[in-house]
Amino acid sequence: MHFSKTLATAATFAMTAYAGFPVASVSFLSWEKCDVGHPAFGEPKFSADVSATPVTCDKTTVNRDWSIDNYSFRAHMDTKDTFFCHGVTIWNNDGCSGEPVHFLPFHHGPFTEGQCLPDILEPGYVSFKLACHGFP
């Protein structure tokens, strides 16, 4: 009981800390098969969720399961200030550095779903940062 109360308090603190700041939830989806260049449908084989901001670099691991042939990304604007953001920049490393491998644009709405990508990611990590006006 004490553990779940601590988690609830931490979640409330996190939401309060982000008030008035651009924040998006990003899902990194791994697929056994989907049509490259088209939206992915159904349930992904694996999914990892992170938060993205314009000043932090959040990451998750690339699943190297032999059955994974494709990847896709989804994002949802968590705060109203995220409407000043163009989208999510994605790197194939753990530090949001170097040349990005993908950009997931927001298309004038709070939710965006990227198209199915081929297995272009190297083992390791994918990292995320919001691309927003007024932030480097």
Side-chain angles (χ1 to χ4, degrees):
M1 179 69 169
H2 176 68
F3 180 73
S4 62
K5 189 174 185 180
T6 302
L7 283 177
T9 303
T12 301
F13 174 76
M15 291 302 286
T16 303
Y18 285 139
F21 188 73
V23 179
S25 297
V26 180
S27 296
F28 171 49
L29 309 165
S30 301
W31 302 90
E32 284 187 57
K33 187 172 188 112
C34 60
D35 294 327
V36 173
H38 298 280
F41 295 106
E43 290 296 316
K45 177 96 177 188
F46 300 103
S47 177
D49 299 317
V50 299
S51 292
T53 75
V55 296
T56 60
C57 178
D58 295 293
K59 65 183 177 186
T60 189
T61 57
V62 175
N63 190 311
R64 296 310 305 169
D65 187 287
W66 63 271
S67 65
I68 301 302
D69 290 327
N70 306 96
Y71 298 102
S72 68
F73 301 94
R74 293 180 186 153
H76 180 269
M77 296 178 179
D78 292 338
T79 64
K80 65 181 179 176
D81 296 299
T82 311
F83 279 99
F84 295 107
C85 301
H86 305 287
V88 181
T89 306
I90 303 162
W91 290 266
N92 193 184
N93 58 47
D94 64 350
C96 297
S97 61
E99 189 70 27
V101 294
H102 191 66
F103 184 76
L104 181 63
F106 288 119
H107 295 290
H108 310 292
F111 179 78
T112 186
E113 184 167 1
Q115 297 178 339
C116 183
L117 301 172
D119 186 4
I120 59 171
L121 301 175
E122 297 294 324
Y125 295 92
V126 286
S127 55
F128 308 90
K129 190 180 272 193
L130 283 178
C132 306
H133 293 291
F135 290 93

